[in-house]
Amino acid sequence: MSAFDCVTAARANDRPTSIDYITRIFGDSFFELHGDRRFSDDKAVIGGIAELNGKPVTVIGLEKGRNLKERMERNFGSAHPEGYRKALRLMKQAEKFHRPVICFVDTSGAYCGIGAEERGQGQAIAENLMEMMTLKTPVLSILIGEGGSGGALALAVADEVWMLENAIYSVISPEGCASILWKDSSKTAEASECLKLTSQDLFKLGVIERIIREPKGVESKLFDSLKNLIADTFDKKSRISPEKLIEMRYSRFRKF
Amino acid sequence: MDERYEIQIGKVCVLSTKDMLFNFLKPKNELENQGEFAENHPYIPEELWVKCPVCKNAILSSDLVENHKVCPKCNYHFRIAARQRIEMTVDEGTFNEMDAEMTSVNIIDFPDYPRKLRSAKLNSGENESVITGTAEINGEKCVIAVMNSQFMMGSMGTVTGEKITRAFEYATVHSLPVVVFTVSGGARMQEGILSLMQMAKTSGAVKRHSDAGLLYITVLTDPTTGGVTASFAMEGDIILAEPHALIGFAGPRVIEQTIRQKLPKDFQSAEFLLDKGFIDAVVPRNDMKSTLAKLIRLHTESKEEEAETDECV
């Protein structure tokens, strides 16, 4: 599979979105929480509390929507500053109540628009990076589709970052890269190769800890195994003292 | 990590201070001086005059340099090189550069990156898009990092992030305030995901410095965008900006393409951000040094008092 095939697969309309992961892994236990308490409720970010093997966890996801209506409502998964602030509010809450945080990342990037700039898109992302670095509770991020630049990183300063086999994670979209490099945004395939954005490439670079295989046609297998993996990881991480945990998180990013 | 940068002994080229001062003057094509313009205007040796892009007045180059590259007529702030910025900000002879020889390598084999790096080095006379070191500002000790628009438009690669991180770590160990002047087009595409990771790395170092109760002042200069805005540029305890600097997450062209409409004038200017509550003050270049010194002093005074109180107890 070429890098560009991965890009296509990561963006496919029928790919499971954060809501699918939340429903299939946490079932009815998920209770959604809304709003950033400052401006509004950004529907590109879905968040709440759920139960995993009887233990409470905070769940946050960038949600693209599963049909056109949902996609419009959720701004195609491109969050505004209030989305990142909602995510941070829920993470701080998780820290307070000593429950781990799981983030599902799927976005082409943070939204570029007038309102987003007026309300400090850069500041909102920067604050998440800073605060997540010292969040005194385990954080796990899973890139399930597209991981578009700062808008994805704002939910991926974690103790471990995992990636679905066909997900992508990149500093710039292949189209953006091609238009800067060759003044031709149609050279997406070449740009995809150059950017080293596939799960294999990122594993080699040490950017992710784990690649999650995508069994063909049997999604239930994926969700079941993922659920166990998440539960095991949180069990292990919760045995580490918060001080040691944030020391390890700092080292994880310090090495780049 | 060691393979992620190289140590370069000596500079690629050595530019004299005079060369650097006049670096912003683009050589003109001979044809541009012919035709109507040449007929109606007397010949002026180009290197002596600069035309202000805003008020269109001709300014004597020497006057402009003397005025820290601020137009004396309309107050337009020309972009300046990092070395000049340091020269005009810190006390003479106090700047001690850190990691000066650290230079980028082509980590992910990105096409054309080595050539881009070479030309950036020649263009700027520097090894990387940021210069870091310790200095004194009106006698106030600090760590200072100054980004350079002449080096790949101040883009943040692994070495940029590493130098900034080391500067913060040094400041944390030595209990020093940090002043960072930003100018950047964002993360450096040519280093792929590793340039994105610099946003997290630098933010982590800023957080540790902050948690140690130390002061961090950022000065946003034209332009500050992308991954730098979305990391250490916006993480200062106090955020200053130069007049009319363009500051934003997405660049104006990207936004216009996304929303398919023209942006209002002054959108994403320093004054706009001040109005929206994202920066503390717009400070003219000629007041910057005294402002920084004053702010640092206000924070060291309270520290000294604390120490004294401790002794009394």
mmCIF file of all heavy atoms in Angstrom, chain B residues 20-37:
data_model
loop_
_atom_site.group_PDB
_atom_site.id
_atom_site.type_symbol
_atom_site.label_atom_id
_atom_site.label_comp_id
_atom_site.label_asym_id
_atom_site.label_seq_id
_atom_site.Cartn_x
_atom_site.Cartn_y
_atom_site.Cartn_z
ATOM 1 N N MET B 20 24.653 43.048 6.648
ATOM 2 C CA MET B 20 23.419 42.613 7.264
ATOM 3 C C MET B 20 22.403 43.743 7.358
ATOM 4 O O MET B 20 21.219 43.539 7.159
ATOM 5 C CB MET B 20 23.703 42.048 8.653
ATOM 6 C CG MET B 20 24.204 40.610 8.585
ATOM 7 S SD MET B 20 25.063 40.109 10.051
ATOM 8 C CE MET B 20 23.850 40.429 11.286
ATOM 9 N N LEU B 21 22.906 44.922 7.631
ATOM 10 C CA LEU B 21 21.997 46.058 7.746
ATOM 11 C C LEU B 21 21.300 46.336 6.425
ATOM 12 O O LEU B 21 20.153 46.735 6.380
ATOM 13 C CB LEU B 21 22.761 47.312 8.203
ATOM 14 C CG LEU B 21 23.311 47.271 9.623
ATOM 15 C CD1 LEU B 21 24.060 48.548 9.929
ATOM 16 C CD2 LEU B 21 22.182 47.107 10.627
ATOM 17 N N PHE B 22 22.034 46.126 5.344
ATOM 18 C CA PHE B 22 21.447 46.456 4.037
ATOM 19 C C PHE B 22 20.871 45.244 3.322
ATOM 20 O O PHE B 22 20.489 45.310 2.173
ATOM 21 C CB PHE B 22 22.497 47.139 3.159
ATOM 22 C CG PHE B 22 22.865 48.504 3.686
ATOM 23 C CD1 PHE B 22 24.094 48.737 4.259
ATOM 24 C CD2 PHE B 22 21.935 49.533 3.621
ATOM 25 C CE1 PHE B 22 24.410 49.982 4.767
ATOM 26 C CE2 PHE B 22 22.255 50.787 4.127
ATOM 27 C CZ PHE B 22 23.498 51.021 4.708
ATOM 28 N N ASN B 23 20.825 44.137 4.054
ATOM 29 C CA ASN B 23 20.374 42.897 3.450
ATOM 30 C C ASN B 23 18.967 42.961 2.874
ATOM 31 O O ASN B 23 18.649 42.290 1.909
ATOM 32 C CB ASN B 23 20.398 41.799 4.512
ATOM 33 C CG ASN B 23 21.144 40.591 4.000
ATOM 34 O OD1 ASN B 23 21.492 40.556 2.825
ATOM 35 N ND2 ASN B 23 21.392 39.644 4.854
ATOM 36 N N PHE B 24 18.123 43.780 3.484
ATOM 37 C CA PHE B 24 16.730 43.821 3.055
ATOM 38 C C PHE B 24 16.560 44.534 1.726
ATOM 39 O O PHE B 24 15.507 44.521 1.122
ATOM 40 C CB PHE B 24 15.859 44.496 4.124
ATOM 41 C CG PHE B 24 16.268 45.913 4.416
ATOM 42 C CD1 PHE B 24 15.670 46.946 3.734
ATOM 43 C CD2 PHE B 24 17.263 46.177 5.355
ATOM 44 C CE1 PHE B 24 16.040 48.235 4.013
ATOM 45 C CE2 PHE B 24 17.631 47.462 5.618
ATOM 46 C CZ PHE B 24 17.033 48.518 4.948
ATOM 47 N N LEU B 25 17.605 45.203 1.258
ATOM 48 C CA LEU B 25 17.518 45.895 -0.033
ATOM 49 C C LEU B 25 17.683 44.874 -1.146
ATOM 50 O O LEU B 25 18.741 44.283 -1.293
ATOM 51 C CB LEU B 25 18.624 46.935 -0.149
ATOM 52 C CG LEU B 25 18.470 48.178 0.698
ATOM 53 C CD1 LEU B 25 19.733 49.002 0.613
ATOM 54 C CD2 LEU B 25 17.284 48.981 0.216
ATOM 55 N N LYS B 26 16.640 44.659 -1.892
ATOM 56 C CA LYS B 26 16.746 43.698 -2.976
ATOM 57 C C LYS B 26 17.410 44.368 -4.177
ATOM 58 O O LYS B 26 17.008 45.474 -4.545
ATOM 59 C CB LYS B 26 15.353 43.201 -3.373
ATOM 60 C CG LYS B 26 14.785 42.215 -2.404
ATOM 61 C CD LYS B 26 13.778 41.335 -3.104
ATOM 62 C CE LYS B 26 13.225 40.316 -2.143
ATOM 63 N NZ LYS B 26 11.846 40.536 -1.831
ATOM 64 N N PRO B 27 18.411 43.735 -4.790
ATOM 65 C CA PRO B 27 18.998 44.345 -5.989
ATOM 66 C C PRO B 27 17.955 44.436 -7.093
ATOM 67 O O PRO B 27 17.163 43.518 -7.286
ATOM 68 C CB PRO B 27 20.115 43.368 -6.360
ATOM 69 C CG PRO B 27 19.818 42.108 -5.656
ATOM 70 C CD PRO B 27 18.988 42.442 -4.463
ATOM 71 N N LYS B 28 17.924 45.547 -7.774
ATOM 72 C CA LYS B 28 16.906 45.728 -8.811
ATOM 73 C C LYS B 28 17.436 45.337 -10.171
ATOM 74 O O LYS B 28 18.613 45.480 -10.462
ATOM 75 C CB LYS B 28 16.459 47.183 -8.842
ATOM 76 C CG LYS B 28 15.332 47.457 -7.872
ATOM 77 C CD LYS B 28 14.713 48.788 -8.156
ATOM 78 C CE LYS B 28 13.593 49.079 -7.177
ATOM 79 N NZ LYS B 28 13.225 50.473 -7.192
ATOM 80 N N ASN B 29 16.556 44.854 -10.985
ATOM 81 C CA ASN B 29 16.875 44.579 -12.364
ATOM 82 C C ASN B 29 17.109 45.911 -13.071
ATOM 83 O O ASN B 29 16.410 46.885 -12.817
ATOM 84 C CB ASN B 29 15.658 43.858 -12.974
ATOM 85 C CG ASN B 29 15.932 43.382 -14.351
ATOM 86 O OD1 ASN B 29 16.454 44.120 -15.177
ATOM 87 N ND2 ASN B 29 15.575 42.134 -14.609
ATOM 88 N N GLU B 30 18.095 45.965 -13.939
ATOM 89 C CA GLU B 30 18.396 47.218 -14.645
ATOM 90 C C GLU B 30 17.198 47.770 -15.394
ATOM 91 O O GLU B 30 16.994 48.971 -15.481
ATOM 92 C CB GLU B 30 19.531 46.981 -15.652
ATOM 93 C CG GLU B 30 20.901 47.106 -15.021
ATOM 94 C CD GLU B 30 21.991 46.855 -16.045
ATOM 95 O OE1 GLU B 30 21.706 46.987 -17.241
ATOM 96 O OE2 GLU B 30 23.103 46.526 -15.615
ATOM 97 N N LEU B 31 16.404 46.846 -15.940
ATOM 98 C CA LEU B 31 15.246 47.267 -16.739
ATOM 99 C C LEU B 31 14.272 48.105 -15.925
ATOM 100 O O LEU B 31 13.592 48.982 -16.446
ATOM 101 C CB LEU B 31 14.517 46.045 -17.296
ATOM 102 C CG LEU B 31 15.278 45.268 -18.369
ATOM 103 C CD1 LEU B 31 14.566 43.963 -18.660
ATOM 104 C CD2 LEU B 31 15.425 46.096 -19.628
ATOM 105 N N GLU B 32 14.228 47.824 -14.611
ATOM 106 C CA GLU B 32 13.275 48.537 -13.775
ATOM 107 C C GLU B 32 13.584 50.023 -13.681
ATOM 108 O O GLU B 32 12.740 50.824 -13.347
ATOM 109 C CB GLU B 32 13.275 47.941 -12.351
ATOM 110 C CG GLU B 32 12.573 46.608 -12.272
ATOM 111 C CD GLU B 32 12.603 46.066 -10.863
ATOM 112 O OE1 GLU B 32 12.099 46.749 -9.971
ATOM 113 O OE2 GLU B 32 13.134 44.962 -10.667
ATOM 114 N N ASN B 33 14.830 50.368 -13.945
ATOM 115 C CA ASN B 33 15.203 51.774 -13.849
ATOM 116 C C ASN B 33 15.065 52.518 -15.181
ATOM 117 O O ASN B 33 15.452 53.663 -15.303
ATOM 118 C CB ASN B 33 16.639 51.897 -13.344
ATOM 119 C CG ASN B 33 16.695 51.687 -11.848
ATOM 120 O OD1 ASN B 33 15.679 51.856 -11.175
ATOM 121 N ND2 ASN B 33 17.849 51.294 -11.348
ATOM 122 N N GLN B 34 14.549 51.825 -16.169
ATOM 123 C CA GLN B 34 14.378 52.491 -17.462
ATOM 124 C C GLN B 34 12.920 52.871 -17.670
ATOM 125 O O GLN B 34 12.079 52.692 -16.821
ATOM 126 C CB GLN B 34 14.871 51.561 -18.579
ATOM 127 C CG GLN B 34 16.384 51.425 -18.516
ATOM 128 C CD GLN B 34 16.895 50.359 -19.443
ATOM 129 O OE1 GLN B 34 16.151 49.810 -20.233
ATOM 130 N NE2 GLN B 34 18.179 50.081 -19.358
ATOM 131 N N GLY B 35 12.642 53.438 -18.851
ATOM 132 C CA GLY B 35 11.260 53.791 -19.176
ATOM 133 C C GLY B 35 10.841 55.054 -18.469
ATOM 134 O O GLY B 35 11.659 55.905 -18.121
ATOM 135 N N GLU B 36 9.559 55.114 -18.188
ATOM 136 C CA GLU B 36 8.954 56.325 -17.657
ATOM 137 C C GLU B 36 9.634 56.802 -16.374
ATOM 138 O O GLU B 36 9.961 57.957 -16.208
ATOM 139 C CB GLU B 36 7.491 56.019 -17.338
ATOM 140 C CG GLU B 36 6.596 57.228 -17.404
ATOM 141 C CD GLU B 36 5.188 56.824 -17.013
ATOM 142 O OE1 GLU B 36 4.733 55.779 -17.491
ATOM 143 O OE2 GLU B 36 4.590 57.540 -16.213
ATOM 144 N N PHE B 37 9.873 55.827 -15.491
ATOM 145 C CA PHE B 37 10.440 56.161 -14.188
ATOM 146 C C PHE B 37 11.791 56.865 -14.354
ATOM 147 O O PHE B 37 12.032 57.919 -13.792
ATOM 148 C CB PHE B 37 10.603 54.878 -13.357
ATOM 149 C CG PHE B 37 11.098 55.135 -11.958
ATOM 150 C CD1 PHE B 37 10.194 55.446 -10.953
ATOM 151 C CD2 PHE B 37 12.449 55.085 -11.659
ATOM 152 C CE1 PHE B 37 10.632 55.687 -9.663
ATOM 153 C CE2 PHE B 37 12.894 55.332 -10.367
ATOM 154 C CZ PHE B 37 11.992 55.632 -9.373
#
